[in-house]
């Protein structure tokens, strides 16, 4: 879930693609993140724990956002739905993904490099950023491509925003082999069935957006800014001019991200985070912002959780049968 280098773990590619495919397809209910009178105030945080490595940190919004294992299951289920749709027209969808039951949430780089052993081994390289690439799609015939992707339509024109609406609409549809092809083809139909079955579905990006908001607010919080300044001063004492703990150092890029120079800086980076307890402070502050947003949007998040559970049950039934 920073331009230019995000500090909050980026959305999985599948979720990002869905956000584009379904742009606004669900309910417009985005919660009320500014509904409390104290939204502009910095939340109380209590005692700050001493923390360094962030890989296994948990957050208040975690129950509302699919974890990597669940995302894998949903990806697999969506491919089953695409294949089911394609079969109606005499085609198959071979690009079926398989969920990894061992996949785990990884916050290792949430606040920049913070694992001493990893910094010493690979510097600023982020293993989690090496997302698995899907195999190339085989060449498609004209009708097969039309069934999979649907018509090219004017993006300014409205299309159904839920499967419930799509089943009653002829907008942006076409016909192949005597059967109607839905708007957006089988790819969009699969996404709607899984992520927006009805008009009251909460947009899948709502809890993600709450997380992005909490992270952005925590980054500007006075306590985090103080910790960041202390960390920056620590780095400067060792000859490294760095202002952001979540960015790569000047002069370090993909070509030398694990070079001896990068490793030396990364080791000092982690040591300065340890000396200033930057991770402990930032985590505690971010949790406070997430907790406040969760409390302000409890009703919306309750719906999100119920719909996520329903979605995962559907995904499990599809992948078991598929």
């Amino acid at each position: 879930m920073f331009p230019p280098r995000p500090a909050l773990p980026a959305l999985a590619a599948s979720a990002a693609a869905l956000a584009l495919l379904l742009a606004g397809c669900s309910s417009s209910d985005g919660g009320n993140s500014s509904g409390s009178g104290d939204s502009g105030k910095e939340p109380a945080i209590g005692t700050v724990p001493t923390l360094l490595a962030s890989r296994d940190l948990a957050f208040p919004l975690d129950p509302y956002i699919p974890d990597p294992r669940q995302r894998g299951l949903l990806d697999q289920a969506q491919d089953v739905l695409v294949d089911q749709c394609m079969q109606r027209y005499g085609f198959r969808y071979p690009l079926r993904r398989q969920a990894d039951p061992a996949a785990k949430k990884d916050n290792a780089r949430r606040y920049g490099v913070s694992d001493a052993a990893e910094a010493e081994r690979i510097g600023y390289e982020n293993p989690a950023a090496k997302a698995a690439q899907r195999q190339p799609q085989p060449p498609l015939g004209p009708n097969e491509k039309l069934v999979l992707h649907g018509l090219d339509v004017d993006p300014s024109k409205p299309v159904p925003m839920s499967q419930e609406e799509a089943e009653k609409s002829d907008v942006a549809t076409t016909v192949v082999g005597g059967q109607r092809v839905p708007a957006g083809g089988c790819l969009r139909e699969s996404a709607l069935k899984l992520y927006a079955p009805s008009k009251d579905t909460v947009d899948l990006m709502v809890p993600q957006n709450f997380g992005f908001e909490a992270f952005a607010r925590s980054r500007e919080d006075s306590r985090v800014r103080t910790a960041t300044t202390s960390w920056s001063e620590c780095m400067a004492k060792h000859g490294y001019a760095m202002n952001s703990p979540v960015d790569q150092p000047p002069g370090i890029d993909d070509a030398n991200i694990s070079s001896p120079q990068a490793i030396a800086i990364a080791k000092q980076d982690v040591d300065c985070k340890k000396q200033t307890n930057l991770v402990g402070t930032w985590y505690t502050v971010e949790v406070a912002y997430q907790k406040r947003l969760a409390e302000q949007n409890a009703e919306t998040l309750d719906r999100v959780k119920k719909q996520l559970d329903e979605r995962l049950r559907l995904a499990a039934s599809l992948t078991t049968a598929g």
Side-chain angles (χ1 to χ4, degrees), residues 14-288:
S14 55
L18 278 169
L20 292 174
L21 184 63
L22 300 180
C25 76
S26 312
S27 164
S28 60
D29 180 359
N32 182 21
S33 61
S34 59
S36 172
D38 67 351
S39 290
K41 299 178 181 178
E42 295 184 348
I45 58 173
T47 302
V48 175
T50 300
L51 297 172
L52 183 57
S54 59
R55 186 181 305 278
D56 298 321
L57 295 179
F59 293 84
L61 290 173
D62 285 352
Y64 309 101
I65 301 171
D67 61 32
R69 182 191 63 80
Q70 293 169 332
R71 285 200 303 269
L73 178 65
L74 292 169
D75 286 345
Q76 184 179 351
Q78 188 179 0
D79 286 352
V80 172
L81 288 171
V82 174
D83 189 38
Q84 289 178 353
C85 176
M86 295 289 285
Q87 288 185 58
R88 300 203 305 260
Y89 307 89
F91 304 116
R92 296 302 301 264
Y93 186 66
L95 303 183
R96 299 276 285 273
R97 292 167 284 188
Q98 294 295 318
D100 178 3
K104 296 180 180 179
K105 189 160 188 172
D106 187 349
N107 285 310
R109 298 300 177 92
R110 194 178 193 96
Y111 308 116
V113 59
S114 62
D115 184 306
E118 194 170 81
E120 185 168 6
R121 188 176 73 255
I122 57 176
Y124 282 91
E125 181 182 336
N126 185 359
K130 294 184 175 181
Q133 298 294 316
R134 296 193 67 173
Q135 64 189 69
Q137 182 172 294
L140 302 177
N143 282 347
E144 191 176 10
K145 182 177 180 181
L146 186 57
V147 168
L148 182 61
H149 296 283
L151 289 172
D152 290 331
V153 296
D154 184 343
S156 67
K157 294 181 178 179
V159 291
M161 297 303 179
S162 70
Q163 182 60 19
E164 180 181 30
E165 295 171 303
E167 290 172 357
K168 302 173 183 176
S169 172
D170 289 323
V171 174
T173 63
T174 187
V175 175
V176 169
Q179 294 193 74
R180 190 186 75 158
V181 177
C186 288
L187 286 175
R188 184 178 176 85
E189 179 183 280
S190 68
L192 291 176
K193 283 186 173 181
L194 195 59
Y195 293 96
S198 61
K199 291 186 288 186
D200 66 349
T201 306
V202 181
D203 194 303
L204 78 160
M205 288 302 299
V206 164
Q208 291 271 9
N209 288 338
F210 289 155
F212 296 149
E213 180 178 348
F215 182 85
R217 291 189 177 190
S218 70
R219 188 171 187 170
E220 297 304 316
D221 186 278
S222 64
R223 294 155 294 192
V224 173
R225 291 172 71 90
T226 297
T228 298
T229 297
S230 297
W231 166 86
S232 183
E233 291 172 348
C234 174
M235 293 297 289
K237 288 178 183 178
H238 293 85
Y240 304 119
M242 295 179 63
N243 296 319
S244 172
V246 298
D247 290 341
Q248 289 174 188
I252 300 299
D253 55 28
D254 291 345
N256 62 355
I257 201 167
S258 295
S259 64
Q261 178 191 13
I263 288 173
I265 302 173
K267 289 169 63 178
Q268 187 57 57
D269 186 343
V270 174
D271 190 57
C272 284
K273 285 189 172 88
K274 181 178 181 179
Q275 291 182 42
T276 60
N277 196 26
L278 184 140
V279 173
T281 300
W282 200 337
Y283 170 67
T284 304
V285 170
E286 186 180 0
V287 164

